[in-house]
Amino acid sequence: MTGKSEKYLDLLNTEQRKVVEKIFGSILVLAGAGSGKTRVLTYKILHLLYKKLATPSQIIAVTFTNKAASEMKARIAKIINLPIDRMWVGTFHSLSLKILRNHYEEVGLKKNFLIIDTDDQLKLIKNICEIEKIDIKEISAKYFLNAIDSFKNKGITFDDLKENKYRKYDQEIRTVYKIYQSELLRLNSLDFGDLILYCINIFKRNKKILQKYQNSFKFILVDEYQDINPIQQMWIHYLYQGHKNICCVGDDDQSIYSWRGADVSNLLNFEKNFSDVEIIRLEQNYRSTKNILNCASSLISKNKGRYGKELWSDNDVGDKINVNGFWETKEEAIFVSEKIENLIKDNEKLNEIAILFRVAAHTRSFEERFINLGLPYKIIGGLRFFERREIKDIIAYLRLTNNLSDDLAFERIINVPKRGIGKSTLSKISSHARMNNISLFESAKQSIFKTNSKAKTEIYNFIENIIKWQKVHKNFDHIELAKVIIEDSGYVDYLKKEEMTSNNPENLTRLDNIYEFIESLKDFQNLNGFLEHVSLVMENISNTSNETLTLMTMHAAKGLEFNNVFLAGWEEGVFPSQRSIEETGNKGLEEERRLAYVALTRARKKINITYVNQNRYSFASHDYNLPSRFISELPEEIININDSKYIKENNFLDEFVDSNIFSDDFVSPGRKRLLDNSKKKEIEWDFNQDDQFDNEILHGKKVYHKKFGYGKIKNIDGDKAFVNFENNFSKKVFVKFLKTID
């Protein structure tokens, strides 16, 4: 120890110090955005060591990333001279692995067991499906993998798994899960989800081992507590039962990861789950201006599922929040780029500027603009638009249709979506092409009769489609050509199925990317012009710069901060996401609002919010967007709203008011003005009403859903229906979003 008394406590504000000096019992720290939670956790550990209340090995601190764990250790090491190698600091998974290495026999493992990666998991599942004669074209290996992972995150072993006749592919899931776990044990392996699950099993089976760890850890600290899932909560609770000293730091207003298993109810039920509880709020924000904080606080106050806190700051009042509406995305991108150029003129660094999106697909128009202007940018947590898998696939289809000699395009798409054309068949086509000095496409035509019947049929259909698309291209423009290709190739159905069978957030946005791609074609007179443009874009984006502006989704922005933040795409249906509202009702709406809160609190100085009236995905419809309901929830006195000419002048008023954009009722500023002008009254939607659906909808009724299409009701559970949709997928949706088909 340095011996420099307790001067470190003087670096803390009153509430932070209260957290640090509160030693025993259960502490829930509600740490608002920018309130210094990392400092609090670090100094609490320091205080326990300084006061000799615990040795390093008697403290266990759980973080959500290995990086956060390393940083915490490094901070402590800078202040004290004690060795901290024995301190248990890490993620749930890394700490569980540490326990498993000591007690592997308890769960049937041998020494030097392996942790397999995703690729190996998929290979194993595919092998199981082949043996069990399960068609992986019907039920993908990823679907099984996601289902198994979901069970493990909830602490559900195969033995715990109960039959669920309403769950899609229930019998197949049960079969694969059972064999999968048996095979892992046979191979002396486990997957990532097993790390915590096996640890829990050891605690359940062997009381002596459990008591050993309960007695060892006098103090438990948990970061990002709002993001833990059910099995992580179980893990914490087992260890807590020893000394019952725990300090959990989190923010219920920043719980935005339910789609990956996080459950904010763990935080909201803290007083029920632990004893001798004290709740301490860290409400002083050191990051943002007063106006930004007031804006964020006003918005999040609309949520009911929260403890409640009020952020405040000693910082300047700052600028008002600017809200600007535009007719189309190009205008939006031009406005933002001009604002950024003005910031640069005022000596702002590009690294201090970020653009946040609800949907990753919306980066496209901005990327185009920045490339043209020579503004260097980077995308956090994802690929640039033209680098995304689905975009490269569709471009390959267009390239091959435009040029039958494009072998690279042929190789990319010949089996996308999967057509049963394997490596062996492709190898034969390639060999024939080399021997005869012809293109792969021409070789495929000539090789049809030399392949097996299944591949023969698929190759024939593929060739016929390409020839047909060439004819379409002669009679129609490149935009229509792209639409035909996307539909005829089965690519849309392929993405829909992938979306339904995956929890991967990237898969949930691939269709959006396709629709955005169609929009991008409208800027070019012909296909050649577009393909040339793409080539130039790919060349330009390869250039790097030390200083870049940042583009990312709101989810990816959590934990980051910038001087200037642009929040793009604040349109109803986009943000809040219609998908979230349809699938989880008010719960989904509140999570979307928490996401807005996170986005707002990333900014230190300035915020610009933008929205677009023209439907971003007009490929599929001609609806119009209205400003997000979240804009109406911002305090009027600290925002500047500059509505688009469309809103101001009420062009297409009748069409706008009568359109189904109003189906999910709410009141936003733009809509309020529209409705006032049209003298129409609307009722604000109450998500808690139980009678908002058509009672005439019965079992077996044919229905239509705006996103998922046509289907038939299999079962009704309260206000939700389990529907078998076309294209062989089933989903539970709110009845209020279904229309009956006579």
Side-chain angles (χ1 to χ4, degrees):
M1 199 68 65
T2 58
K4 293 184 179 180
S5 71
E6 299 174 33
K7 288 184 179 180
Y8 57 88
L9 293 175
D10 297 334
L11 301 174
L12 306 173
N13 65 36
T14 302
E15 296 306 305
Q16 289 173 336
R17 184 162 180 163
K18 190 185 293 185
V19 174
V20 170
E21 293 185 312
K22 167 74 176 173
I23 303 300
F24 301 107
S26 305
I27 312 166
L28 175 61
V29 184
L30 295 175
S35 61
K37 67 177 179 68
T38 304
R39 168 176 282 193
V40 166
L41 280 172
T42 304
Y43 278 59
K44 187 166 184 68
I45 294 172
L46 173 64
H47 191 67
L48 292 172
L49 296 173
Y50 184 83
K51 289 292 188 179
K52 297 183 179 179
L53 295 164
T55 63
S57 62
Q58 292 175 319
I59 300 171
I60 184 167
V62 188
T63 63
F64 258 75
T65 65
N66 290 313
K67 182 182 177 184
S70 299
E71 289 176 352
M72 184 177 289
K73 278 187 170 182
R75 288 190 183 194
I76 297 169
K78 279 184 179 181
I79 303 173
I80 65 174
N81 289 324
L82 280 176
I84 58 171
D85 292 340
R86 296 181 63 197
M87 189 180 298
W88 286 58
V89 182
T91 64
F92 283 101
H93 292 94
S94 67
L95 295 173
S96 294
L97 176 59
K98 196 171 180 179
I99 293 171
L100 280 175
R101 289 295 182 194
N102 293 328
H103 309 286
Y104 51 86
E105 304 102 326
E106 296 292 327
V107 287
L109 292 169
K110 301 173 185 175
K111 194 175 181 180
N112 299 322
F113 59 82
L114 298 173
I115 305 168
I116 65 172
D117 60 19
T118 303
D119 287 342
D120 287 335
Q121 287 178 273
L122 290 171
K123 287 178 185 176
L124 181 56
I125 290 173
K126 286 176 182 177
N127 291 338
I128 294 169
C129 289
E130 185 176 351
I131 294 169
E132 294 298 314
K133 293 182 170 50
I134 298 171
D135 188 358
I136 60 173
K137 291 182 181 178
E138 173 68 20
I139 320 171
S140 71
K142 283 186 179 180
Y143 180 82
F144 286 115
L145 184 58
N146 290 327
I148 292 169
D149 190 58
S150 177
F151 290 135
K152 291 180 178 182
N153 285 338
K154 295 173 183 174
I156 301 173
T157 65
F158 172 75
D159 294 331
D160 300 325
L161 194 61
K162 296 178 181 178
E163 186 178 357
N164 185 347
K165 61 182 179 180
Y166 299 121
R167 184 171 57 221
K168 187 71 169 175
Y169 306 123
D170 178 69
Q171 188 55 51
E172 291 88 347
I173 291 171
R174 289 162 57 82
T175 299
V176 172
Y177 191 7
K178 182 180 182 179
I179 300 173
Y180 175 77
Q181 289 302 115
S182 298
E183 282 295 290
L184 284 178
L185 280 177
R186 185 182 69 81
L187 296 167
N188 194 34
S189 301
L190 69 167
D191 63 23
F192 204 61
D194 284 326
L195 290 171
I196 305 177
L197 186 64
Y198 278 11
C199 204
I200 294 291
N201 288 342
I202 291 172
F203 293 160
K204 285 180 179 178
R205 295 175 184 180
N206 196 317
K207 299 298 180 186
K208 287 185 178 180
I209 293 175
L210 174 59
Q211 287 172 1
K212 171 190 172 182
Y213 289 102
Q214 286 177 336
N215 294 332
S216 294
F217 301 130
K218 290 179 66 176
F219 298 96
I220 302 169
L221 296 90
V222 184
D223 195 12
E224 303 289 0
Y225 188 65
Q226 78 280 348
D227 291 332
I228 66 170
N229 61 33
I231 196 169
Q232 290 166 343
Q233 174 66 21
M234 291 168 62
W235 190 93
I236 292 169
H237 214 266
Y238 270 113
L239 295 179
Y240 164 79
Q241 295 301 326
H243 294 275
K244 295 190 175 183
N245 298 318
I246 189 168
C247 178
C248 295
V249 181
D251 185 1
D252 48 333
D253 293 333
Q254 296 190 69
S255 179
I256 59 175
Y257 298 121
S258 65
W259 45 271
R260 67 184 191 196
D263 189 352
V264 71
S265 65
N266 290 314
L267 186 148
L268 297 175
N269 293 326
F270 190 89
E271 292 173 283
K272 296 179 182 178
N273 295 331
F274 301 97
S275 59
D276 189 21
V277 172
E278 182 175 354
I279 297 175
I280 302 174
R281 290 171 170 80
L282 303 184
E283 297 174 309
Q284 184 174 0
N285 176 285
Y286 295 92
R287 177 187 301 160
S288 308
T289 65
K290 287 184 173 67
N291 275 344
I292 291 173
L293 294 182
N294 289 338
C295 208
S297 296
S298 176
L299 178 74
I300 202 63
S301 67
K302 306 299 188 298
N303 274 6
K304 295 178 181 178
R306 62 191 293 264
Y307 271 108
K309 58 184 174 299
E310 196 72 31
L311 294 182
W312 63 275
S313 175
D314 284 333
N315 295 336
D316 295 336
V317 173
D319 296 341
K320 289 186 177 183
I321 282 70
N322 292 311
V323 179
N324 288 273
F326 304 94
W327 171 242
E328 60 178 0
T329 57
K330 189 180 290 186
E331 291 180 45
E332 182 185 39
I334 291 172
F335 170 83
V336 171
S337 65
E338 288 176 348
K339 285 282 185 181
I340 291 171
E341 288 187 308
N342 287 333
L343 287 169
I344 295 170
K345 288 177 183 177
D346 292 335
N347 296 318
E348 183 62 277
K349 294 181 179 178
L350 278 175
N351 292 340
E352 288 294 346
I353 304 171
I355 310 172
L356 310 186
F357 306 86
R358 177 62 180 88
V359 180
H362 294 174
T363 66
R364 197 271 308 173
S365 58
F366 291 86
E367 290 187 61
E368 296 262 7
R369 181 69 180 169
F370 298 150
I371 290 168
N372 289 336
L373 293 175
L375 278 173
Y377 70 94
K378 61 183 177 184
I379 294 182
I380 303 294
L383 297 171
R384 299 170 189 265
F385 185 80
F386 289 108
E387 294 174 334
R388 294 167 191 170
R389 180 245 295 175
E390 60 278 10
I391 303 303
K392 292 175 79 171
D393 286 345
I394 300 304
I395 289 174
Y397 270 106
L398 289 169
R399 281 170 50 188
L400 185 60
T401 303
N402 190 57
N403 178 11
L404 297 180
S405 298
D406 192 333
D407 287 353
L408 291 176
F410 180 94
E411 285 186 290
R412 182 176 185 92
I413 60 169
I414 182 62
N415 200 39
V416 179
K418 289 184 179 180
R419 303 182 175 92
I421 302 171
K423 291 182 180 178
S424 175
T425 302
L426 185 58
S427 179
K428 292 177 183 177
I429 294 172
S430 298
S431 296
H432 184 74
R434 287 194 300 272
M435 289 174 60
N436 295 278
N437 195 28
I438 56 178
S439 69
L440 292 179
F441 183 85
E442 183 63 30
S443 177
K445 286 173 65 177
Q446 297 179 12
S447 303
I448 289 176
F449 300 105
K450 300 178 183 179
T451 58
N452 64 63
S453 58
K454 187 178 181 181
K456 174 181 175 180
T457 302
E458 293 294 341
I459 292 172
Y460 178 82
N461 291 336
F462 178 77
I463 290 170
E464 285 292 294
N465 271 333
I466 296 293
I467 294 171
K468 183 180 77 172
W469 297 335
Q470 284 194 318
K471 292 177 181 176
V472 170
H473 190 201
K474 288 179 182 178
N475 299 316
F476 299 96
D477 64 19
H478 56 298
I479 301 170
E480 192 61 33
L481 171 65
K483 293 178 183 179
V484 171
I485 288 175
I486 290 168
E487 291 293 342
D488 287 357
S489 65
Y491 204 87
V492 168
D493 292 338
Y494 160 66
L495 290 182
K496 283 181 178 177
K497 189 172 182 179
E498 193 174 61
E499 180 180 311
M500 297 307 150
T501 57
S502 173
N503 291 324
N504 184 339
E506 286 187 17
N507 290 337
L508 300 179
T509 62
R510 295 197 192 280
L511 265 178
D512 294 338
N513 290 338
I514 293 296
Y515 297 145
E516 180 64 27
F517 174 79
I518 296 295
E519 288 296 304
S520 73
L521 295 174
K522 295 179 180 180
D523 294 332
F524 302 90
Q525 291 185 345
N526 53 55
L527 182 58
N528 282 328
F530 171 75
L531 293 175
E532 287 176 4
H533 170 76
V534 171
S535 298
L536 292 172
V537 165
M538 298 305 293
E539 177 68 24
N540 289 336
I541 64 176
S542 64
N543 299 325
T544 58
S545 174
N546 291 328
E547 192 172 317
T548 59
L549 62 94
T550 302
L551 281 67
M552 72 182 95
T553 63
M554 296 175 187
H555 283 100
K558 189 172 179 293
L560 304 177
E561 57 187 77
F562 305 88
N563 284 342
N564 306 274
V565 172
F566 294 85
L567 305 176
W570 279 45
E571 301 113 32
E572 193 63 25
V574 175
F575 190 48
S577 163
Q578 189 68 19
R579 185 203 310 269
S580 294
I581 295 173
E582 289 181 356
E583 293 183 353
T584 54
N586 198 48
K587 186 178 178 181
L589 176 61
E590 292 211 344
E591 178 153 331
E592 290 290 296
R593 191 176 284 112
R594 291 196 293 270
L595 187 57
Y597 173 83
V598 168
L600 289 165
T601 54
R602 298 312 92 198
R604 301 190 192 101
K605 297 179 180 179
K606 294 181 179 180
I607 292 176
N608 280 274
I609 298 172
T610 59
Y611 69 88
V612 173
N613 292 136
Q614 189 182 47
N615 194 306
R616 292 177 185 268
Y617 308 133
S618 55
F619 164 56
S621 74
H622 297 287
D623 295 339
Y624 303 103
N625 292 322
L626 284 174
S628 168
R629 70 185 74 189
F630 295 152
I631 294 174
S632 68
E633 296 173 357
L634 305 178
E636 292 183 7
E637 65 275 11
I638 58 174
I639 62 172
N640 290 321
I641 297 181
N642 182 23
D643 283 331
S644 70
K645 291 181 179 179
Y646 181 87
I647 293 288
K648 286 180 178 178
E649 298 173 4
N650 294 319
N651 293 331
F652 313 108
L653 181 61
D654 292 336
E655 181 182 358
F656 207 173
V657 171
D658 293 336
S659 73
N660 60 10
I661 201 74
F662 296 137
S663 60
D664 187 23
D665 298 3
F666 72 99
V667 179
S668 71
R671 185 180 181 202
K672 185 175 184 301
R673 286 185 284 278
L674 278 172
L675 296 178
D676 287 343
N677 290 337
S678 63
K679 297 180 180 180
K680 292 191 178 185
K681 294 181 179 180
E682 298 285 342
I683 301 171
E684 187 172 355
W685 182 265
D686 182 2
F687 281 94
N688 296 314
Q689 291 182 45
D690 294 324
D691 58 348
Q692 292 292 336
F693 58 90
D694 188 350
N695 290 315
E696 294 182 2
I697 296 180
L698 302 173
H699 295 62
K701 199 76 172 177
K702 289 183 178 179
V703 293
Y704 175 76
H705 188 281
K706 186 177 179 182
K707 178 170 182 61
F708 305 124
Y710 294 95
K712 186 180 287 186
I713 289 180
K714 184 177 179 180
N715 183 60
I716 294 178
D717 182 14
D719 59 350
K720 288 187 176 181
F722 194 90
V723 183
N724 289 332
F725 289 102
E726 295 178 347
N727 301 319
N728 297 316
F729 75 89
S730 301
K731 199 166 185 71
K732 190 179 267 188
V733 297
F734 279 94
V735 182
K736 68 186 180 184
F737 294 113
L738 297 173
K739 291 182 180 179
T740 55
I741 306 297
D742 296 329

